[in-house]
Amino acid sequence: MAGALLLLGLVAQIAGFAGVSLLPHLVGYALWLATALLWRDIPRRTRWQAGALAGIGLGLLVIAQLRYDAAIEWPAILDGNTYVVAMLLGVSFIGLIGNRSGSTRPLGRAITGIRGTAGTWLGVHLLGTILNLSTVFMIGDRLARRAPLTTPQLLALNRGLSSAALWSPFFASMGVVMTLAPSMQYTQVLAAGLPLALIAGLLTTLELSRRFDLSETAGFSLSPRSLLMPVIMAALVMLFHYRLTPTLSIVSIITFLLPAVALVSNLPSGPRWTLHRVRQHTLVRLPAMRGEVALFLSAGLLTLGLSNLIAAATGSEWTLFAHFGAGQAIISFLAIVASAVVGLHPIIGVSVLASMLDLAPDRQTLFAFTALASWAVGTSVGPLSGINLSLQGRYGISGYRMMRHNLGYAAVMTALVVVAIMVLEAYSDTR
């Protein structure tokens, strides 16, 4: 039932893009009800964190109405971050693109040494831009067939995926940022984020080769066939965004395009086979995303509660910063990364920050890059981030051990992000 509700939420969201409203707030209600049904199966740490976020957000809404007589649209309070959750659900359907047996195609042969470690980072980074966290498991499981994963392999997996948050339009981080800063200029974010991500890959390769003996460390080698699907998907997204559906955001396009491509790729095997795969995906894969869904929905409720309380208490006139420039962006970045180190997911810091700012359109690109950079660095080093919890659950390495190994990397990346923020601000001032 929970899987069916998640699928219903996704379908209702896609229908909304075409102007078809099945029921008011149906997306939020379906996603929250599914989360409630799956609540006991959510990992305990995630459950406590999501519960605290939702409880605080709801409490803030109550205070805003009772203490400040704020007009709260209660039927709509569950709508926060539903766009992002729908995108995550849509992206998951990429797993249906495969052969008739549903098995994963070989991604390339494993190699060793520095070249192998660089290949692991690059493979996770490039494929992860679209496939997200599932790429870590695809490549990690392949490497684990030879021997249990070592620390440098796990660090390459961690950093390869987390650094993709700097620029990938398919990442949940980009979905959140585009929702919070709709006037952001993606090309400027790409121009700053992509070089920074490539530097992160070079830094990872050089650091791991210095700290560890990689001569026997198995790595991953990309083949042109492995890159074909991500490149095609990225091209399709750009085609829809700039030509076919220019009024839709990239988040919206990804939400409907990836499930559509997955269905089309299965139809040659017959409608019955296609329905079978969708049913299996609905019953298995969608409920397995319960932790992500719960966290994003709860963070959306927290953001709504905090923004309503601040608006009610200050008459919508108070903001954290009177002007959001390079200095304010750097302070915000450092604060969000620090909160990630103590266990908070960067989405919380980003959402709270957005609720306390009144961003002019020309400031939204700087905010967007700051949020994406804090997400990329924060998830790599945060012991309770989704990537580190996943590595812990799948391969048995402690999230706090990953944090210790990533502290030096995070420090260097922090310095680079500070420079990038100042460059981006200077570029904005010259326009």
Side-chain angles (χ1 to χ4, degrees):
M1 185 179 291
L5 285 168
L6 291 173
L7 182 62
L8 173 62
L10 174 61
V11 171
Q13 184 70 60
I14 294 173
F17 300 151
V20 179
S21 179
L22 303 179
L23 282 174
H25 315 298
L26 175 61
V27 178
Y29 293 161
L31 297 179
W32 273 99
L33 182 54
T35 302
L37 292 174
L38 295 167
W39 188 255
R40 292 183 60 185
D41 296 322
I42 296 174
R44 179 174 296 180
R45 284 176 176 172
T46 303
R47 187 167 67 236
W48 277 101
Q49 195 168 0
L53 294 177
I56 294 172
L58 187 60
L60 294 176
L61 287 172
V62 172
I63 294 173
Q65 184 175 65
L66 297 181
R67 176 68 176 83
Y68 298 102
D69 198 27
I72 307 297
E73 190 181 354
W74 291 103
I77 66 170
L78 301 183
D79 291 346
N81 279 346
T82 53
Y83 271 81
V84 183
V85 175
M87 186 197 73
L88 289 173
L89 297 175
V91 166
S92 72
F93 276 81
I94 204 73
L96 296 184
I97 299 178
N99 54 33
R100 185 175 174 82
S101 65
S103 61
T104 303
R105 274 198 302 259
L107 296 175
R109 62 183 181 85
I111 55 177
T112 58
I114 296 178
R115 183 183 170 196
T117 300
T120 299
W121 183 94
L122 187 60
V124 174
H125 188 82
L126 291 179
L127 298 179
T129 58
I130 293 178
L131 304 180
N132 288 265
L133 191 58
S134 61
T135 306
V136 171
F137 299 141
M138 284 194 301
I139 295 180
D141 289 353
R142 183 172 181 81
L143 296 177
R145 293 175 193 168
R146 301 182 61 179
L149 294 186
T150 62
T151 298
Q153 288 174 317
L154 291 164
L155 290 172
L157 293 173
N158 166 292
R159 299 177 187 180
L161 184 71
S162 59
S163 56
L166 286 163
W167 66 275
S168 172
F170 300 93
F171 247 59
S173 57
M174 190 67 74
V176 171
V177 167
M178 287 181 172
T179 302
L180 298 174
S183 297
M184 63 164 279
Q185 297 297 317
Y186 174 69
T187 53
Q188 294 183 33
V189 172
L190 180 65
L194 184 55
L196 200 59
L198 296 177
I199 293 174
L202 179 62
L203 172 64
T204 296
T205 303
L206 294 178
E207 181 204 0
L208 295 184
S209 66
R210 181 182 59 82
R211 292 175 55 193
F212 302 96
D213 179 10
L214 303 179
S215 58
E216 299 299 324
T217 300
F220 176 76
S221 177
L222 281 173
S223 66
R225 185 180 182 183
S226 302
L227 289 175
L228 182 61
M229 188 271 292
V231 170
I232 290 175
M233 291 307 307
L236 283 174
V237 170
M238 295 300 107
L239 174 64
F240 273 85
H241 183 59
Y242 289 107
R243 294 292 182 183
L244 302 181
T245 56
T247 59
L248 290 180
S249 67
I250 290 180
V251 174
S252 302
I253 294 171
I254 293 171
T255 302
F256 76 78
L257 182 60
L258 270 67
V261 171
L263 291 176
V264 169
S265 70
N266 279 270
L267 282 176
S269 298
R272 179 175 297 182
W273 169 251
T274 303
L275 289 175
H276 166 72
R277 297 206 70 187
V278 171
R279 180 177 182 274
Q280 287 299 108
H281 190 81
T282 302
L283 296 179
V284 178
R285 180 67 183 100
L286 295 187
M289 300 176 66
R290 53 192 175 268
E292 300 167 74
V293 172
L295 188 61
F296 280 104
L297 291 178
S298 300
L301 184 54
L302 171 66
T303 302
L304 181 66
L306 188 59
S307 59
N308 272 273
L309 180 61
I310 291 174
T314 63
S316 301
E317 296 177 357
W318 183 86
T319 58
L320 180 62
F321 301 118
H323 171 74
F324 191 77
Q328 293 75 20
I330 293 170
I331 293 172
S332 301
F333 167 78
L334 294 175
I336 296 173
V337 172
S339 69
V341 171
V342 299
L344 294 179
H345 194 283
I347 186 179
I348 301 170
V350 170
S351 300
V352 171
L353 175 64
S355 68
M356 295 188 292
L357 295 176
D358 184 16
L359 294 169
D362 64 336
R363 299 288 91 192
Q364 294 190 16
T365 299
L366 180 62
F367 167 82
F369 176 76
T370 302
L372 293 172
S374 61
W375 192 302
V377 177
T379 53
S380 70
V381 74
L384 301 182
S385 67
I387 175 64
N388 281 330
L389 287 177
S390 298
L391 292 175
Q392 177 176 322
R394 192 111 172 172
Y395 306 114
I397 186 170
S398 166
Y400 289 93
R401 184 180 174 193
M402 292 294 290
M403 179 188 75
R404 291 195 298 271
H405 281 293
N406 274 325
L407 285 175
Y409 166 81
V412 176
M413 289 302 298
T414 294
L416 294 173
V417 168
V418 168
V419 173
I421 287 175
M422 292 189 292
V423 171
L424 188 59
E425 170 72 354
Y427 173 78
S428 299
D429 290 342
T430 60
R431 297 190 68 194

